[in-house]
Short mmCIF file of all heavy atoms in Angstrom, two decimals:
data_model
loop_
_atom_site.label_atom_id
_atom_site.label_comp_id
_atom_site.label_asym_id
_atom_site.label_seq_id
_atom_site.Cartn_x
_atom_site.Cartn_y
_atom_site.Cartn_z
N ARG U 117 20.69 17.04 -14.84
CA ARG U 117 19.70 17.81 -14.17
C ARG U 117 18.32 17.03 -14.31
O ARG U 117 17.92 16.71 -15.37
CB ARG U 117 19.43 19.20 -14.87
CG ARG U 117 18.64 20.14 -14.00
CD ARG U 117 18.22 21.44 -14.69
NE ARG U 117 16.93 21.18 -15.42
CZ ARG U 117 16.37 22.02 -16.15
NH1 ARG U 117 16.90 23.14 -16.40
NH2 ARG U 117 15.09 21.75 -16.76
N MET U 118 17.82 16.64 -13.11
CA MET U 118 16.62 15.68 -13.04
C MET U 118 15.46 16.38 -12.43
O MET U 118 15.59 16.89 -11.35
CB MET U 118 17.04 14.42 -12.39
CG MET U 118 18.26 13.64 -12.92
SD MET U 118 18.78 12.34 -11.84
CE MET U 118 17.55 11.08 -12.32
N ASP U 119 14.29 16.23 -13.06
CA ASP U 119 13.07 16.67 -12.51
C ASP U 119 11.95 15.68 -12.70
O ASP U 119 11.66 15.38 -13.76
CB ASP U 119 12.81 18.09 -13.02
CG ASP U 119 11.52 18.67 -12.33
OD1 ASP U 119 11.57 18.63 -11.05
OD2 ASP U 119 10.68 19.23 -12.93
N LYS U 135 23.41 17.25 -7.23
CA LYS U 135 23.27 18.07 -6.03
C LYS U 135 22.29 19.19 -6.25
O LYS U 135 21.77 19.38 -7.36
CB LYS U 135 24.69 18.70 -5.75
CG LYS U 135 25.87 17.55 -5.56
CD LYS U 135 25.58 16.90 -4.27
CE LYS U 135 26.82 16.00 -3.87
NZ LYS U 135 26.62 15.27 -2.79
N TRP U 136 22.04 19.87 -5.16
CA TRP U 136 21.20 21.05 -5.16
C TRP U 136 21.60 22.02 -6.39
O TRP U 136 22.82 22.11 -6.64
CB TRP U 136 21.30 21.88 -3.92
CG TRP U 136 20.43 23.05 -3.73
CD1 TRP U 136 20.80 24.39 -3.91
CD2 TRP U 136 19.11 22.97 -3.44
NE1 TRP U 136 19.70 25.14 -3.86
CE2 TRP U 136 18.60 24.47 -3.48
CE3 TRP U 136 18.12 22.01 -3.14
CZ2 TRP U 136 17.26 24.68 -3.26
CZ3 TRP U 136 16.82 22.44 -2.86
CH2 TRP U 136 16.47 23.74 -2.94
N PRO U 137 20.62 22.48 -7.13
CA PRO U 137 19.19 22.71 -6.79
C PRO U 137 18.32 21.47 -7.22
O PRO U 137 17.11 21.55 -7.07
CB PRO U 137 18.80 23.94 -7.60
CG PRO U 137 19.61 23.89 -8.79
CD PRO U 137 20.98 23.43 -8.29
N CYS U 138 18.93 20.30 -7.42
CA CYS U 138 18.13 19.05 -7.44
C CYS U 138 18.14 18.54 -6.01
O CYS U 138 19.05 18.71 -5.17
CB CYS U 138 18.81 18.08 -8.38
SG CYS U 138 18.68 18.36 -10.12
N PHE U 139 17.04 17.80 -5.74
CA PHE U 139 17.07 17.16 -4.39
C PHE U 139 16.28 15.82 -4.60
O PHE U 139 15.41 15.71 -5.43
CB PHE U 139 16.43 17.92 -3.24
CG PHE U 139 14.96 18.43 -3.57
CD1 PHE U 139 13.98 17.68 -2.98
CD2 PHE U 139 14.79 19.49 -4.30
CE1 PHE U 139 12.56 18.13 -3.21
CE2 PHE U 139 13.39 20.00 -4.63
CZ PHE U 139 12.35 19.30 -3.93
N PHE U 160 3.24 22.96 -3.56
CA PHE U 160 4.09 21.71 -3.75
C PHE U 160 3.65 20.61 -2.75
O PHE U 160 3.59 19.43 -3.19
CB PHE U 160 5.50 22.10 -3.44
CG PHE U 160 6.47 20.87 -3.70
CD1 PHE U 160 6.88 20.52 -4.94
CD2 PHE U 160 6.98 20.18 -2.61
CE1 PHE U 160 7.72 19.41 -5.12
CE2 PHE U 160 7.82 19.17 -2.73
CZ PHE U 160 8.22 18.84 -4.02
N LEU U 180 13.86 15.76 -8.03
CA LEU U 180 13.25 16.90 -8.25
C LEU U 180 14.22 18.11 -8.51
O LEU U 180 15.16 18.12 -7.91
CB LEU U 180 12.05 17.27 -7.36
CG LEU U 180 11.08 16.19 -7.06
CD1 LEU U 180 10.38 16.41 -5.84
CD2 LEU U 180 10.05 16.22 -8.20
N PHE U 181 13.88 19.05 -9.35
CA PHE U 181 14.68 20.17 -9.62
C PHE U 181 13.98 21.49 -9.02
O PHE U 181 12.91 21.85 -9.53
CB PHE U 181 14.82 20.34 -11.08
CG PHE U 181 15.67 21.50 -11.51
CD1 PHE U 181 17.05 21.60 -11.17
CD2 PHE U 181 15.32 22.53 -12.37
CE1 PHE U 181 17.90 22.64 -11.50
CE2 PHE U 181 16.06 23.54 -12.92
CZ PHE U 181 17.39 23.65 -12.37
N ALA U 182 14.50 22.00 -7.91
CA ALA U 182 13.81 22.98 -7.23
C ALA U 182 13.28 24.19 -8.06
O ALA U 182 12.09 24.60 -7.88
CB ALA U 182 14.73 23.56 -6.06
N PRO U 183 14.09 24.84 -8.96
CA PRO U 183 13.57 26.02 -9.72
C PRO U 183 12.32 25.59 -10.56
O PRO U 183 11.38 26.41 -10.60
CB PRO U 183 14.81 26.32 -10.66
CG PRO U 183 16.00 25.85 -9.85
CD PRO U 183 15.59 24.58 -9.23
N SER U 184 12.34 24.41 -11.17
CA SER U 184 11.12 24.01 -11.90
C SER U 184 9.90 23.76 -10.98
O SER U 184 8.82 24.10 -11.35
CB SER U 184 11.41 22.80 -12.75
OG SER U 184 12.43 22.90 -13.74
N GLU U 185 10.14 23.06 -9.88
CA GLU U 185 9.08 22.90 -9.06
C GLU U 185 8.48 24.20 -8.38
O GLU U 185 7.27 24.27 -8.23
CB GLU U 185 9.46 21.94 -7.88
CG GLU U 185 9.99 20.54 -8.30
CD GLU U 185 8.77 19.77 -9.05
OE1 GLU U 185 7.71 19.73 -8.61
OE2 GLU U 185 9.11 19.03 -9.98
N ALA U 186 9.38 25.10 -8.06
CA ALA U 186 8.90 26.41 -7.70
C ALA U 186 8.05 27.09 -8.50
O ALA U 186 7.03 27.68 -8.28
CB ALA U 186 10.12 27.24 -7.24
N GLN U 187 8.52 27.07 -9.85
CA GLN U 187 7.76 27.80 -10.89
C GLN U 187 6.39 27.13 -11.05
O GLN U 187 5.36 27.82 -11.32
CB GLN U 187 8.54 27.74 -12.23
CG GLN U 187 7.98 28.64 -13.36
CD GLN U 187 8.79 28.55 -14.58
OE1 GLN U 187 9.78 27.68 -14.72
NE2 GLN U 187 8.78 29.56 -15.40
N ARG U 188 6.45 25.81 -11.07
CA ARG U 188 5.21 25.14 -11.22
C ARG U 188 4.26 25.28 -10.05
O ARG U 188 3.00 25.33 -10.36
CB ARG U 188 5.55 23.47 -11.29
CG ARG U 188 4.48 22.71 -12.02
CD ARG U 188 5.07 21.26 -12.30
NE ARG U 188 6.00 21.28 -13.30
CZ ARG U 188 7.27 20.65 -13.25
NH1 ARG U 188 7.62 20.20 -12.24
NH2 ARG U 188 8.09 20.68 -14.32
N TYR U 189 4.70 25.34 -8.89
CA TYR U 189 3.76 25.43 -7.73
C TYR U 189 3.92 26.57 -6.87
O TYR U 189 3.66 26.61 -5.75
CB TYR U 189 4.03 24.17 -6.75
CG TYR U 189 3.81 22.99 -7.59
CD1 TYR U 189 4.85 21.98 -7.88
CD2 TYR U 189 2.47 22.55 -7.97
CE1 TYR U 189 4.62 20.79 -8.59
CE2 TYR U 189 2.27 21.34 -8.65
CZ TYR U 189 3.38 20.53 -8.95
OH TYR U 189 3.06 19.33 -9.69
N ASP U 190 4.13 27.78 -7.49
CA ASP U 190 4.08 29.16 -6.91
C ASP U 190 4.94 29.23 -5.65
O ASP U 190 4.35 29.55 -4.67
CB ASP U 190 2.52 29.43 -6.70
CG ASP U 190 1.65 29.16 -7.80
OD1 ASP U 190 1.92 29.58 -8.90
OD2 ASP U 190 0.50 28.69 -7.62
N ALA U 191 6.15 29.05 -5.90
CA ALA U 191 7.11 29.08 -4.61
C ALA U 191 8.41 29.70 -5.14
O ALA U 191 8.66 30.05 -6.34
CB ALA U 191 7.28 27.87 -4.06
N HIS U 192 9.32 29.77 -4.30
CA HIS U 192 10.75 30.21 -4.62
C HIS U 192 11.61 29.06 -4.27
O HIS U 192 11.56 28.42 -3.27
CB HIS U 192 11.02 31.47 -3.68
CG HIS U 192 12.30 32.07 -4.17
ND1 HIS U 192 13.61 31.62 -3.69
CD2 HIS U 192 12.55 33.08 -4.93
CE1 HIS U 192 14.59 32.42 -4.39
NE2 HIS U 192 13.89 33.33 -4.96
N PRO U 193 12.65 28.82 -5.09
CA PRO U 193 13.57 27.78 -4.91
C PRO U 193 14.17 27.67 -3.65
O PRO U 193 14.27 26.59 -3.02
CB PRO U 193 14.56 27.93 -6.09
CG PRO U 193 14.00 28.72 -7.03
CD PRO U 193 12.93 29.67 -6.42
N GLU U 194 14.52 28.77 -3.08
CA GLU U 194 15.32 28.75 -1.77
C GLU U 194 14.38 28.42 -0.61
O GLU U 194 14.82 27.97 0.42
CB GLU U 194 16.02 30.15 -1.53
CG GLU U 194 17.28 30.30 -2.35
CD GLU U 194 18.24 29.25 -2.22
OE1 GLU U 194 18.56 28.79 -1.16
OE2 GLU U 194 18.76 28.80 -3.44
N GLU U 195 13.06 28.51 -0.75
CA GLU U 195 12.09 28.07 0.26
C GLU U 195 12.30 26.60 0.34
O GLU U 195 12.05 26.06 1.39
CB GLU U 195 10.77 28.46 -0.20
CG GLU U 195 10.56 30.00 -0.13
CD GLU U 195 9.04 30.31 -0.55
OE1 GLU U 195 8.66 30.17 -1.77
OE2 GLU U 195 8.19 30.57 0.35
N PHE U 196 12.53 25.86 -0.79
CA PHE U 196 12.64 24.41 -0.58
C PHE U 196 13.97 23.99 0.21
O PHE U 196 13.87 23.07 0.98
CB PHE U 196 12.75 23.76 -2.03
CG PHE U 196 11.45 23.83 -2.80
CD1 PHE U 196 11.07 24.88 -3.59
CD2 PHE U 196 10.71 22.70 -2.65
CE1 PHE U 196 9.95 24.77 -4.23
CE2 PHE U 196 9.42 22.61 -3.38
CZ PHE U 196 9.12 23.65 -4.10
N ARG U 197 15.00 24.82 0.09
CA ARG U 197 16.24 24.41 0.52
C ARG U 197 16.07 24.20 2.17
O ARG U 197 16.58 23.36 2.78
CB ARG U 197 17.25 25.49 0.27
CG ARG U 197 18.65 25.27 0.92
CD ARG U 197 19.46 24.39 0.09
NE ARG U 197 20.79 23.99 0.76
CZ ARG U 197 21.92 24.12 0.17
NH1 ARG U 197 22.06 24.49 -1.15
NH2 ARG U 197 23.06 23.80 0.82
#
Side-chain angles (χ1 to χ4, degrees):
R117 195 192 89 182
M118 304 170 78
D119 188 41
K135 301 290 190 186
W136 183 262
C138 289
F139 60 99
F160 182 81
L180 300 156
F181 182 59
S184 294
E185 297 300 318
Q187 187 175 21
R188 200 172 288 131
Y189 298 113
D190 310 319
H192 189 276
E194 285 308 312
E195 293 179 283
F196 284 92
R197 178 83 186 232

